Amino acid sequence: MRLALCLLVILAVASATPKFNLDYSKKRSMTAVMAEVEAKLKNKSPLDAILNVLRDFRDAVNTEQVNHDEIYNVQVTECDSENAFRRAEVTDASNVLRDSTAALNVAQTSKIRATNQQEVNQQQYFSAQEHLNSVLSAAETEAGYFKRRGRDYEDALHAIDEASDILAAIYSGSGSFAEISRVSKSMLQTAFNIKETAKFAPVFYAFSQLAAQEGQLDESALERVAQLLETLRGNIQEAYNDFTESNAVSVAAFNDQKDRIGQTIARLEAQNERLQNKLDSLNQQIGTQSAIAQTASGKLQRNQQLWDQAQALCSTFANEYNYATQARRNELQLVAELEEMVEARFNQVEDENHERNQRLANQA
């Protein structure tokens, strides 16, 4: 666009300024000049008159060459300016395109890496969630088991205490062995529930002996059974305490495991948030760099095309100038040859006239 405007200005100046007036609509004719010279020779015009025709032609050629030189110098200046401008625009666009393309490639590679990391992070997050759910489910099941087994231990202790009370009542004479039979069944069931039948076995054996001795009570036998019940109760209470302690250890281990899994989930959630923020930033960078690269590519293509056109036009200017200059040189050379021929012709005519005059003089 700048070159086109400059050319329009040059053409306007050439049309408006007399010294740049190159009128190619009326071509000089060497044939016409030669015909005019020939006519003047036939009419025996003075030598200066004939040479003036050739001098006028030469002056017209030189004036035209001077005007063309001035126009061509303006064209060269504008072409150099346009080439420098387009070269700078192409270089700038190329550098921007190179840098934006490199930044775009880095952002796209980083996005692929971040996407893969996010997928791995999400898989780990889902695995941690499944693990936590599994731990919670197991803890719930184990808590139910501990609760049921705790009731079984309490039932066993209650049955032992009830058997001791019945035994004391029998010892005082207010109890009956039928109640011992009933509480024995309850104790047997609780023994199975807490899986401690071996510890209950001596008591059951002592109960069977008491039942066989019904009507012949032996206080020492009652005291031995009471001692067995006391020992059994101590053993079951100890087992209950161990069971309760193991339950507390299990609960602490569960809480520790739940906390560690919770920390892992929190870390994965925070990491996923960071990765998502990074992906959002990379997507923005990719959009920005893509737009910059697209703009730079368009600028590069446009300026390269204008530069090529400018170089082609400037080459046309140079070719036209060189062709016209050579043509004028040929014309000036031909004029110089004509001048020599005319002068030689006049010298020949003068010599012939001189010889004729001498002959006439001699004859007279």
Side-chain angles (χ1 to χ4, degrees), residues 29-50:
S29 175
M30 182 57 70
T31 302
V33 171
M34 293 178 67
E36 185 176 358
V37 170
E38 186 68 23
K40 287 185 179 296
L41 287 172
K42 289 181 179 180
N43 294 332
K44 298 181 179 181
S45 299
L47 177 60
D48 288 340
I50 297 174

Short mmCIF file of all heavy atoms in Angstrom, two decimals, residues 29-50:
data_model
loop_
_atom_site.label_atom_id
_atom_site.label_comp_id
_atom_site.label_asym_id
_atom_site.label_seq_id
_atom_site.Cartn_x
_atom_site.Cartn_y
_atom_site.Cartn_z
N SER A 29 11.40 10.32 -34.04
CA SER A 29 11.59 9.46 -35.20
C SER A 29 12.93 9.79 -35.83
O SER A 29 13.13 10.89 -36.38
CB SER A 29 10.46 9.66 -36.22
OG SER A 29 10.72 8.92 -37.39
N MET A 30 13.86 8.87 -35.74
CA MET A 30 15.15 9.06 -36.38
C MET A 30 15.00 9.09 -37.89
O MET A 30 15.74 9.82 -38.59
CB MET A 30 16.09 7.92 -35.96
CG MET A 30 17.49 8.03 -36.54
SD MET A 30 18.30 9.60 -36.11
CE MET A 30 18.57 9.34 -34.36
N THR A 31 14.02 8.38 -38.37
CA THR A 31 13.77 8.39 -39.82
C THR A 31 13.36 9.78 -40.28
O THR A 31 13.81 10.28 -41.33
CB THR A 31 12.68 7.38 -40.17
OG1 THR A 31 13.09 6.08 -39.72
CG2 THR A 31 12.43 7.33 -41.67
N ALA A 32 12.49 10.43 -39.44
CA ALA A 32 12.06 11.78 -39.80
C ALA A 32 13.22 12.75 -39.76
O ALA A 32 13.35 13.65 -40.61
CB ALA A 32 10.95 12.22 -38.85
N VAL A 33 14.10 12.59 -38.77
CA VAL A 33 15.27 13.46 -38.68
C VAL A 33 16.18 13.27 -39.89
O VAL A 33 16.68 14.24 -40.50
CB VAL A 33 16.03 13.18 -37.37
CG1 VAL A 33 17.37 13.92 -37.35
CG2 VAL A 33 15.18 13.59 -36.17
N MET A 34 16.39 12.02 -40.25
CA MET A 34 17.24 11.75 -41.42
C MET A 34 16.62 12.30 -42.68
O MET A 34 17.33 12.83 -43.57
CB MET A 34 17.48 10.25 -41.53
CG MET A 34 18.31 9.66 -40.39
SD MET A 34 18.51 7.88 -40.53
CE MET A 34 19.53 7.78 -42.00
N ALA A 35 15.29 12.20 -42.80
CA ALA A 35 14.62 12.75 -43.99
C ALA A 35 14.77 14.27 -44.04
O ALA A 35 14.99 14.86 -45.11
CB ALA A 35 13.16 12.35 -43.97
N GLU A 36 14.66 14.90 -42.82
CA GLU A 36 14.80 16.36 -42.78
C GLU A 36 16.22 16.77 -43.14
O GLU A 36 16.44 17.77 -43.86
CB GLU A 36 14.44 16.86 -41.38
CG GLU A 36 14.44 18.39 -41.29
CD GLU A 36 13.98 18.87 -39.92
OE1 GLU A 36 13.62 18.01 -39.07
OE2 GLU A 36 13.98 20.10 -39.69
N VAL A 37 17.18 16.02 -42.62
CA VAL A 37 18.57 16.31 -42.97
C VAL A 37 18.82 16.14 -44.45
O VAL A 37 19.48 16.97 -45.12
CB VAL A 37 19.51 15.40 -42.14
CG1 VAL A 37 20.96 15.50 -42.66
CG2 VAL A 37 19.46 15.76 -40.66
N GLU A 38 18.26 15.09 -45.02
CA GLU A 38 18.41 14.84 -46.45
C GLU A 38 17.80 15.96 -47.27
O GLU A 38 18.39 16.43 -48.27
CB GLU A 38 17.76 13.50 -46.81
CG GLU A 38 17.97 13.06 -48.26
CD GLU A 38 19.43 12.70 -48.54
OE1 GLU A 38 20.15 12.37 -47.57
OE2 GLU A 38 19.84 12.77 -49.71
N ALA A 39 16.63 16.44 -46.79
CA ALA A 39 15.97 17.53 -47.53
C ALA A 39 16.79 18.79 -47.49
O ALA A 39 16.93 19.52 -48.49
CB ALA A 39 14.59 17.76 -46.94
N LYS A 40 17.39 19.08 -46.31
CA LYS A 40 18.20 20.29 -46.20
C LYS A 40 19.46 20.18 -47.03
O LYS A 40 19.97 21.16 -47.57
CB LYS A 40 18.53 20.55 -44.71
CG LYS A 40 17.34 21.04 -43.91
CD LYS A 40 17.73 21.40 -42.51
CE LYS A 40 16.55 21.92 -41.73
NZ LYS A 40 16.03 23.18 -42.28
N LEU A 41 19.98 18.95 -47.11
CA LEU A 41 21.14 18.77 -47.96
C LEU A 41 20.80 19.03 -49.43
O LEU A 41 21.58 19.66 -50.16
CB LEU A 41 21.70 17.35 -47.78
CG LEU A 41 22.43 17.06 -46.46
CD1 LEU A 41 22.76 15.57 -46.34
CD2 LEU A 41 23.70 17.89 -46.36
N LYS A 42 19.64 18.53 -49.86
CA LYS A 42 19.23 18.76 -51.25
C LYS A 42 18.99 20.24 -51.52
O LYS A 42 19.24 20.73 -52.63
CB LYS A 42 17.98 17.95 -51.55
CG LYS A 42 18.24 16.46 -51.63
CD LYS A 42 16.96 15.70 -51.96
CE LYS A 42 17.23 14.20 -52.07
NZ LYS A 42 15.97 13.48 -52.39
N ASN A 43 18.46 20.91 -50.53
CA ASN A 43 18.18 22.35 -50.69
C ASN A 43 19.42 23.19 -50.46
O ASN A 43 19.36 24.43 -50.48
CB ASN A 43 17.09 22.79 -49.71
CG ASN A 43 15.75 22.15 -50.04
OD1 ASN A 43 15.48 21.82 -51.20
ND2 ASN A 43 14.92 21.97 -49.02
N LYS A 44 20.55 22.49 -50.20
CA LYS A 44 21.81 23.18 -49.98
C LYS A 44 21.73 24.18 -48.85
O LYS A 44 22.20 25.31 -48.92
CB LYS A 44 22.28 23.87 -51.26
CG LYS A 44 22.53 22.90 -52.40
CD LYS A 44 23.01 23.61 -53.63
CE LYS A 44 23.28 22.61 -54.76
NZ LYS A 44 23.78 23.28 -55.99
N SER A 45 21.07 23.70 -47.75
CA SER A 45 20.99 24.56 -46.56
C SER A 45 22.36 24.64 -45.91
O SER A 45 23.21 23.75 -46.09
CB SER A 45 19.98 23.98 -45.56
OG SER A 45 18.69 23.94 -46.14
N PRO A 46 22.57 25.69 -45.12
CA PRO A 46 23.87 25.81 -44.45
C PRO A 46 24.12 24.63 -43.51
O PRO A 46 23.20 23.96 -43.03
CB PRO A 46 23.74 27.11 -43.66
CG PRO A 46 22.63 27.85 -44.31
CD PRO A 46 21.70 26.85 -44.87
N LEU A 47 25.40 24.38 -43.29
CA LEU A 47 25.78 23.25 -42.41
C LEU A 47 25.21 23.42 -41.01
O LEU A 47 24.73 22.46 -40.41
CB LEU A 47 27.31 23.15 -42.35
CG LEU A 47 27.86 22.05 -41.43
CD1 LEU A 47 27.38 20.68 -41.87
CD2 LEU A 47 29.39 22.11 -41.39
N ASP A 48 25.28 24.65 -40.49
CA ASP A 48 24.76 24.87 -39.14
C ASP A 48 23.27 24.55 -39.04
O ASP A 48 22.79 24.03 -38.02
CB ASP A 48 25.00 26.32 -38.70
CG ASP A 48 26.48 26.58 -38.42
OD1 ASP A 48 27.19 25.58 -38.18
OD2 ASP A 48 26.88 27.75 -38.40
N ALA A 49 22.52 24.86 -40.10
CA ALA A 49 21.09 24.57 -40.09
C ALA A 49 20.83 23.08 -40.01
O ALA A 49 19.94 22.60 -39.30
CB ALA A 49 20.41 25.18 -41.31
N ILE A 50 21.65 22.34 -40.73
CA ILE A 50 21.48 20.88 -40.72
C ILE A 50 21.92 20.31 -39.37
O ILE A 50 21.26 19.48 -38.77
CB ILE A 50 22.29 20.26 -41.87
CG1 ILE A 50 21.74 20.76 -43.21
CG2 ILE A 50 22.22 18.73 -41.80
CD1 ILE A 50 22.57 20.32 -44.40
#
